[in-house]
Amino acid sequence: MGKTKFILNLLIVAAIFYLIWLNTEYKLKLHESNIFGKMYSCIKNNYYPELTDEEIDDMLYNAIQGLHTKYSDFIKSNKDYVDLASDYAYKLGFTGKYNFKKQAVEVSEVFFGSKVYKEGLRSGDYIIAINGKDVRRDDIPSFENTENFTITVLNKNRETFNISFSKRTGFYKMMDTKVIKEKEKKFLIIKINYFGEGLFEGFNDYINLAIERKIDNIIIDLRNNHGGSLNEAQKVLSLLSPQNVFYNIKLKNNYYMLSRIQNIKYRKELNNKKIVVIVNRFSASASELVGLYLRDNNLATVIGERTYGKSEILNTFSLDENRKIIIPVGQYISLNGENISGKGFEPNIKIEDPDFGIIYENIREPEEDLLLEKAIDICLKNPPSLS
């Protein structure tokens, strides 16, 4: 009887401690969920000046920067970015992003042949004023709403100069292709500028062309390709690879697999063709996933520079009608466990791209393009297997 009472008391004590722990956990979670709301209420109710929209935006921006990842951001609207994979950037002639600390637009890449390129705008320059007005974050959408600009540029030598230009007409092409002949050998060159919706249809047509015309050498140029639609990249891999699984996808609490699209058949005729992929330091996201997979599975020889290093899956969440945050919600991890986030991947053959920060929309002649010339040379020295 005494032993039973002791055990019963022990269970009661254990239950009490469990309830205390449960209550503490609940309070911690409640505290976690309300801490930003409490901070906002405290500032709004006690900060003696009237809280402005600009101050709220700066608070949200700094909170997001506290995540210490370059893939998180706070934006006031979907026009806060100059996006490479859009006609918006093409019409301006450059791509870039607002640098909050510098209070300026930092230029990432410049389109070859554009007016701003001819006038001296280069990667790493800062746009410090638009039409005579100092750049603020709220001014970025004005790129969308204005046709004619005078931008004030601060270059790497700390020199300032003005460029006046109008938006270009036309559209940034997703892909350019060319068939050339070198030393009696035919080459199909496919330059993918970004993985936009509908890209695979054209890509598939040209792969079929290479098979029908018995073109033994295929060069896929992914330089300055920032990614785009993962689904289009998935289709490209489904055509080029016989495997069923391409990547593991790690989310916060789950793992998934990025698999082949079942209605796209692998072309066995590609076994007898030499495939070379060209990448550089601006190859990112979906283009990296394609290049890394082809390298790891010996489906292509990858040449060029170490890539950008973006394996994150990003999601956009709306806070209200105007404000949004972008945060990474997962990552792609290769089947051999490699995570390229923040470091990119090394090509099979490392060659520095001399055209740093310059976007060539079209395929150039090999003598004008060092990496293309090297890709052709690799194919000529290592002919496709005839087995």
Side-chain angles (χ1 to χ4, degrees):
M1 184 70 180
K3 188 176 180 180
T4 302
K5 188 175 180 181
F6 172 76
I7 293 172
L8 186 62
N9 287 334
L10 194 64
L11 288 172
I12 291 170
V13 171
I16 290 170
F17 274 110
Y18 176 72
L19 289 172
I20 292 171
W21 175 83
L22 206 62
N23 187 51
T24 303
E25 282 289 297
Y26 173 76
K27 284 182 177 178
L28 281 172
K29 287 180 179 177
L30 195 64
H31 175 70
E32 261 182 19
S33 64
N34 288 334
I35 189 166
F36 287 103
K38 286 180 178 178
M39 181 182 72
Y40 174 74
S41 296
C42 179
I43 293 170
K44 186 178 180 181
N45 295 330
N46 298 285
Y47 181 59
Y48 77 90
E50 188 69 26
L51 194 60
T52 67
D53 284 346
E54 185 178 351
E55 286 174 324
I56 294 171
D57 291 341
D58 288 350
M59 286 166 56
L60 290 168
Y61 176 85
N62 284 301
I64 287 297
Q65 293 307 302
L67 295 176
H68 301 297
T69 168
K70 59 184 176 182
Y71 302 119
S72 62
D73 206 355
F74 163 73
I75 56 177
K76 281 194 65 176
S77 76
N78 60 9
K79 296 177 182 176
D80 269 355
Y81 287 103
V82 179
D83 181 9
L84 177 65
S86 72
D87 299 317
Y88 173 25
Y90 172 78
K91 289 173 180 176
L92 294 174
F94 68 91
T95 178
K97 185 180 177 182
Y98 186 74
N99 185 310
F100 192 86
K101 291 180 180 179
K102 300 282 187 180
Q103 295 282 291
V105 174
E106 184 174 1
V107 177
S108 298
E109 294 139 307
V110 184
F111 285 83
F112 179 79
S114 66
K115 176 70 182 299
V116 291
Y117 175 84
K118 293 174 182 177
E119 293 289 332
L121 187 69
R122 293 295 183 267
S123 175
D125 290 349
Y126 289 96
I127 298 171
I128 58 175
I130 304 171
N131 294 333
K133 180 182 176 184
D134 289 347
V135 173
R136 295 283 299 169
R137 189 176 183 84
D138 292 348
D139 296 327
I140 306 305
S142 69
F143 278 121
E144 178 80 0
N145 302 323
T146 307
E147 292 298 319
N148 302 303
F149 303 92
T150 296
I151 57 174
T152 302
V153 179
L154 175 67
N155 67 16
K156 294 176 183 177
N157 297 323
R158 307 297 297 172
E159 301 167 333
T160 59
F161 57 94
N162 292 331
I163 300 175
S164 296
F165 68 100
S166 301
K167 282 184 182 177
R168 294 198 289 178
T169 57
F171 301 93
Y172 182 37
K173 63 169 72 171
M174 287 188 290
M175 182 172 64
D176 189 30
T177 58
K178 183 184 286 188
V179 176
I180 65 172
K181 200 170 186 180
E182 292 283 334
K183 296 184 179 180
E184 303 304 314
K185 300 290 184 183
K186 289 181 180 179
F187 293 81
L188 170 63
I189 305 167
I190 304 175
K191 185 179 187 330
I192 302 176
N193 291 322
Y194 64 99
F195 287 91
E197 294 297 332
L199 173 125
F200 175 74
E201 185 177 347
F203 183 84
N204 184 46
D205 288 342
Y206 279 98
I207 292 297
N208 287 333
L209 176 75
I211 293 169
E212 290 167 7
R213 294 190 183 179
K214 298 183 179 179
I215 300 173
D216 288 332
N217 304 285
I218 301 172
I219 297 172
I220 302 172
D221 189 348
L222 298 176
R223 285 175 290 178
N224 298 94
N225 183 323
H226 287 197
S229 167
L230 176 65
N231 185 247
E232 295 297 317
Q234 193 177 358
K235 291 175 182 177
V236 167
L237 286 178
S238 298
L239 184 71
L240 300 178
S241 170
Q243 304 300 323
N244 289 321
V245 178
F246 303 137
Y247 280 91
N248 291 315
I249 300 174
K250 181 184 179 183
L251 301 179
K252 190 173 182 71
N253 298 310
N254 291 297
Y255 274 92
Y256 295 94
M257 292 184 296
L258 182 69
S259 304
R260 73 176 300 106
I261 295 175
Q262 293 302 319
N263 64 347
I264 298 176
K265 293 183 179 180
Y266 166 64
R267 298 304 302 267
K268 294 180 181 179
E269 298 90 338
L270 294 173
N271 283 331
N272 297 326
K273 300 191 183 300
K274 181 70 178 180
I275 301 177
V276 177
V277 174
I278 309 175
V279 296
N280 68 1
R281 69 195 80 178
F282 288 116
S283 302
S285 194
S287 67
E288 287 181 286
L289 297 181
V290 170
L292 176 62
Y293 181 84
L294 295 177
R295 186 204 71 177
D296 283 353
N297 291 275
N298 299 315
L299 295 169
T301 301
V302 182
I303 72 168
E305 301 174 321
R306 177 180 284 276
T307 59
Y308 183 79
K310 180 178 178 292
S311 64
E312 280 76 7
I313 302 166
L314 305 183
N315 209 344
T316 302
F317 299 90
S318 295
L319 303 181
D320 58 25
E321 290 182 358
N322 297 313
R323 299 181 177 97
K324 301 174 186 176
I325 57 171
I326 298 174
I327 58 172
V329 296
Q331 287 183 322
Y332 294 97
I333 300 173
S334 72
L335 298 182
N336 63 13
E338 184 175 1
N339 185 345
I340 63 171
S341 176
K343 58 185 180 180
F345 74 88
E346 287 277 4
N348 298 105
I349 301 171
K350 194 169 181 180
I351 307 169
E352 186 173 345
D353 188 352
D355 299 315
F356 175 79
I358 303 173
I359 301 171
Y360 291 92
E361 183 184 10
N362 300 308
I363 297 167
R364 291 174 287 160
E365 296 300 321
E367 57 268 23
E368 300 172 347
D369 186 343
L370 174 65
L371 269 67
L372 177 57
E373 191 174 48
K374 293 290 186 184
I376 291 170
D377 191 49
I378 289 167
C379 292
L380 292 173
K381 288 180 178 178
N382 301 282
S385 170
L386 299 177
S387 60

